[in-house]
Amino acid sequence: MKNVLGGIQWAVFLIASSIAAPIAIAHVFGMDAGETTLFIQRTIFVLGAACLIQAFIGHKLPINEGPAGLWWGIFVVYAGMVGVMYPTSSDALQALQSGMLVSGVLFIILALTGVINKMKTLFTPAITFTYLMLLILQLSGTFLKGMIGVDSGDDRIDSVLFFGSLVVIFVTFLTMNHKTPWISRYSVLLSIAAGWLLFLIIGKTHAIKFESENLIRLPDMLVYGIPVWDTGVVVTASFITLLLIANMMASIRVMESLLKKSFAVTPPDRMKQGSIASGVNHLLAGLFSAIGPVPISGAAGFVGATRLSSLKPFIMGSILIMVMTLFPSIMSIFAALPPAVAYAVTFAIFTKMVEMAFLELAGESHQLRAYKTAAIGLMIGVGIMFIPQESMSDLPRAFSAVLSNGLIVGTVLAIVVEQFLLWRERKTN
């Protein structure tokens, strides 16, 4: 019974920490209720499968997989390219679907060749700070537009929607930082529930639409077509993969430290296996046209609070999640969540990423070099975000897709600048 209840608790945590991402992405791509339901189904199904793969052949630790915030950001960026770089939303999603497959292959190659640690040295605190800040700055506009109900230039601010979004942000901050463990543990779930209820009261929710007549439906594969080669996405996927590797390593180390200190358990080093499993999980994400998963560092807090250090309840929760996705009616309920609620909760969550970014920068021993590196990367990256994408439409598609992405250009320049400064320091000494 303990494992069953623990499995249910894991399932709740998995959904609470994952549901906002597919809803927000579906909204920016203009998916209807049916498409949103199926997108949520595929994403949650892949996350459940990813947890099982890590539990059986990967790092074998109770760390849940969630939609990677970095991929989330890239989805939003590419949604803005629809009509400019890509004729339709399906074309952009097809390119991103292919990017998941590229990332999966890179994960496995880097794990098998042992290049991971060498390549990770490029992502110093200064580079990580630059990347995170560029990502946050690029997404902040999308979050705010979603919270005020502005989808296009013709829309006007919905004051009622904005008021509701502000309340949801306040509730999210309140629950995230609450002293009562179970409230902070389920802060995302509680905030979504409270926001949904509030939006129901103020009349800003949509009716639940059960689009499928089938009781059970398997998730579809390659929804947006066969994989395509897109140089812009390949470059993006390469950078994302390196950052996700660093994210994965950090999550594993945090959990290992918790198990040693709180449970007197010393897990074996399975970083290589975890990397290979992450590659397989990304291949699954591409195959099922979902969002790429990543081990969530917050799992350590969940395990520490619930004392669920065993893999058995974790595995049961993952299986429960996968079974739930097979029922379209359950996914339709999740798809009815107002996008503004998802944006508001996500806005609050992303403020933690701002904290993470500045903590990374504070950890740099050579502050002056870090400031120079970040300054150039941020100025160029943010500057590109203000250049109309239409102005690059005459360039070859591969170049325009890369050059119009301030996130990638800013990060690349930051790496180049920092490596040049390091080279000059070595030459001087």
Side-chain angles (χ1 to χ4, degrees):
M1 180 58 70
K2 182 180 178 181
N3 288 333
V4 173
L5 292 176
I8 294 173
Q9 198 165 207
W10 264 116
V12 171
F13 180 69
L14 282 162
I15 293 176
S17 60
S18 306
I19 191 63
I23 290 175
I25 290 174
H27 182 252
V28 296
F29 275 100
M31 298 183 191
D32 59 30
E35 292 171 329
T36 300
T37 297
L38 295 178
F39 186 60
I40 293 173
Q41 179 202 32
R42 296 194 301 272
T43 298
I44 302 298
F45 178 84
V46 167
L47 294 179
C51 290
L52 292 176
I53 290 171
Q54 289 286 13
F56 286 111
I57 67 171
H59 50 60
K60 294 188 176 182
L61 296 170
I63 307 175
N64 64 299
E65 299 273 325
L70 297 172
W71 272 121
W72 186 350
I74 297 303
F75 267 85
V76 174
V77 169
Y78 273 75
M81 296 181 182
V82 175
V84 181
M85 303 297 176
Y86 300 94
T88 66
S89 295
S90 293
D91 291 312
L93 288 166
Q94 182 183 27
L96 289 165
Q97 170 186 280
S98 305
M100 299 294 164
L101 298 173
V102 171
S103 183
V105 172
L106 284 175
F107 255 111
I108 295 173
I109 291 175
L110 294 175
L112 293 177
T113 57
V115 180
I116 288 177
N117 291 329
K118 296 179 182 178
M119 297 185 72
K120 196 180 70 172
T121 58
L122 292 175
F123 288 87
T124 61
I127 302 302
T128 303
F129 167 80
T130 304
Y131 187 92
L132 287 174
M133 288 305 298
L134 285 172
L135 176 64
I136 292 160
L137 291 170
Q138 196 153 20
L139 289 177
S140 59
T142 301
F143 293 155
L144 285 174
K145 287 179 180 178
M147 289 189 292
I148 62 179
V150 174
D151 293 325
S152 64
D154 298 328
D155 293 331
R156 295 293 179 267
I157 294 176
D158 187 328
S159 56
V160 176
L161 194 75
F162 186 41
F163 169 75
S165 299
L166 290 177
V167 173
V168 174
I169 291 175
F170 175 75
V171 171
T172 307
F173 277 126
L174 195 65
T175 54
M176 284 171 58
N177 299 289
H178 204 279
K179 294 181 179 180
T180 305
W182 71 268
I183 292 179
S184 59
R185 186 187 315 147
Y186 299 117
S187 58
V188 174
L189 184 64
L190 292 172
S191 301
I192 289 175
W196 204 338
L197 178 61
L198 173 64
F199 274 57
L200 180 64
I201 294 172
I202 63 178
K204 292 297 179 180
T205 57
H206 300 288
I208 299 174
K209 296 180 180 180
F210 297 101
E211 301 287 335
S212 177
E213 297 179 356
N214 300 323
L215 177 63
I216 296 177
R217 174 169 178 167
L218 296 174
D220 298 323
M221 299 170 66
L222 296 177
V223 175
Y224 306 109
I226 61 173
V228 294
W229 179 267
D230 187 307
T231 304
V233 170
V234 170
V235 173
T236 299
S238 300
F239 281 104
I240 291 293
T241 302
L242 293 176
L243 289 167
L244 290 180
I245 288 172
N247 187 313
M248 178 201 68
M249 289 182 171
S251 297
I252 291 176
R253 292 305 183 203
V254 168
M255 182 59 73
E256 288 177 342
S257 176
L258 173 71
L259 293 177
K260 289 177 183 177
K261 294 177 180 178
S262 301
F263 299 93
V265 174
T266 304
D269 185 356
R270 295 183 59 84
M271 195 71 74
K272 178 179 178 181
Q273 292 88 336
S275 299
I276 294 173
S278 289
V280 174
N281 292 341
H282 268 72
L283 291 175
L284 279 178
L287 191 62
F288 285 98
S289 307
I291 310 170
V294 65
I296 302 298
S297 299
F302 176 81
V303 171
T306 60
R307 312 300 293 176
L308 292 172
S309 61
S310 171
L311 271 179
K312 289 182 180 179
F314 175 73
I315 291 171
M316 291 188 69
S318 303
I319 294 173
L320 179 59
I321 286 293
M322 293 185 69
V323 171
M324 286 173 59
T325 63
L326 303 181
F327 295 89
S329 56
I330 297 178
M331 293 298 103
S332 295
I333 295 173
F334 288 126
L337 174 68
V341 174
Y343 283 123
V345 173
T346 307
F347 181 90
I349 293 172
F350 264 69
T351 60
K352 290 292 184 182
M353 291 186 67
V354 178
E355 294 178 21
M356 288 170 54
F358 280 100
L359 287 173
E360 281 285 334
L361 189 62
E364 175 62 66
S365 56
H366 300 279
Q367 289 289 306
L368 185 59
R369 184 178 68 220
Y371 292 154
K372 290 179 180 178
T373 299
I376 295 175
L378 286 173
M379 288 184 67
I380 297 296
V382 173
I384 288 176
M385 294 177 192
F386 285 95
I387 297 176
Q389 292 181 341
E390 292 83 354
S391 63
M392 300 186 186
S393 58
D394 291 336
L395 296 174
R397 184 170 171 177
F399 287 101
S400 60
V402 174
L403 294 177
S404 63
N405 192 328
L407 178 67
I408 298 302
V409 174
T411 304
V412 171
L413 285 178
I415 291 175
V416 172
V417 169
E418 185 173 56
Q419 292 302 309
F420 170 74
L421 293 175
L422 286 169
W423 171 79
R424 194 172 66 177
E425 289 175 10
R426 288 194 296 267
K427 187 177 180 181
T428 303
N429 296 331

